[in-house]
Amino acid sequence: MRRLGLIGLAWFVAMAGLVMSPSSVGTKVQAQGAAGGASAGSGRLRGGPTGTVKTVLRGTNLPVDGLMVQLISHRTSIRTTVYTNELGQYEFPVLETGDYVLRVPRPMEFKRYVNESVHIDGATRLPEIVMERITNGLFLPPTKDILAQLSGAEWLANMPGTAQEKRLFTNSCTNSCHGGDRPFMQKFSPGDWVK
């Protein structure tokens, strides 16, 4: 009975997302900005490099929230990762002055973004990142780039089969030395598996 309740809730959330139009998203973002959402003067930021991430949908600029943004030091190769907020804003902690790679490491439904050289010196304003969608359709195409970004849970959710078959797979293949995505990434022929 509890499972049916969760399925119903998931269906409701999915339907609410389909009904929401870009104009209503823009109105929500404008209202949050006017109400003093996460802004540069809110005192909740970290004092390092800042920037914004947006996408263009049907001619409208929309913020991208929950997207991972990363800076990689040219000198030390240390990766610092932050996430965008509901307004598409992100801020890094204070970083050592120097040159960095700015990238979005897990863009999923967007094309990859990499800026090989940005100079950081204190609270540097980073260039605006405009993410381009791979498709305007509801489902993502199973391209090599997208498949490599899926987690084991996402692979499992996309597998055909009953819940019992998926549990057998999980118990046999993912509770030992690797995740559920590993078997799908292997490109062996039937003869290679025997070897």
Side-chain angles (χ1 to χ4, degrees):
M1 191 61 149
R2 182 174 176 216
R3 184 191 292 176
L4 289 177
L6 292 174
I7 292 171
L9 177 61
W11 178 85
F12 177 76
V13 169
M15 289 298 108
L18 290 175
V19 171
M20 187 177 281
S21 69
S23 62
S24 65
V25 172
T27 305
K28 176 183 172 190
V29 170
Q30 290 171 355
Q32 287 173 339
S39 63
S42 67
R44 291 185 282 164
L45 301 178
R46 301 175 178 194
T50 62
T52 58
V53 179
K54 70 176 184 177
T55 188
V56 178
L57 182 65
R58 297 184 199 116
T60 304
N61 290 337
L62 298 173
V64 180
D65 66 332
L67 195 64
M68 187 185 300
V69 181
Q70 197 171 68
L71 282 172
I72 305 170
S73 171
H74 280 271
R75 191 179 70 75
T76 64
S77 297
I78 293 175
R79 299 167 189 232
T80 306
T81 306
V82 295
Y83 292 85
T84 58
N85 65 13
E86 66 276 3
L87 299 176
Q89 301 169 336
Y90 61 90
E91 182 164 4
F92 287 91
V94 176
L95 298 172
E96 179 180 282
T97 299
D99 293 325
Y100 290 78
V101 173
L102 173 65
R103 73 180 193 144
V104 176
R106 196 168 181 260
M108 288 300 283
E109 69 264 27
F110 302 104
K111 293 182 180 177
R112 292 211 175 265
Y113 174 88
V114 177
N115 184 338
E116 292 292 337
S117 185
V118 294
H119 185 74
I120 302 298
D121 187 10
T124 304
R125 180 75 182 154
L126 297 171
E128 183 175 68
I129 299 173
V130 179
M131 301 300 294
E132 185 180 344
R133 291 187 56 81
I134 291 173
T135 179
N136 288 328
L138 185 58
F139 299 105
L140 296 177
T143 63
K144 185 177 180 180
D145 192 41
I146 292 174
L147 295 178
Q149 299 177 64
L150 296 178
S151 68
E154 290 166 326
W155 275 100
L156 186 64
N158 285 292
M159 283 177 53
T162 65
Q164 185 176 8
E165 291 168 335
K166 290 182 181 185
R167 184 175 17 202
L168 178 64
F169 171 79
T170 302
N171 291 341
S172 301
C173 296
T174 65
N175 287 340
S176 56
C177 60
H178 58 77
D181 57 331
R182 183 115 185 181
F184 297 104
M185 302 304 253
Q186 304 304 320
K187 303 296 182 195
F188 295 126
S189 69
D192 291 335
W193 281 108
V194 174
K195 293 177 189 176

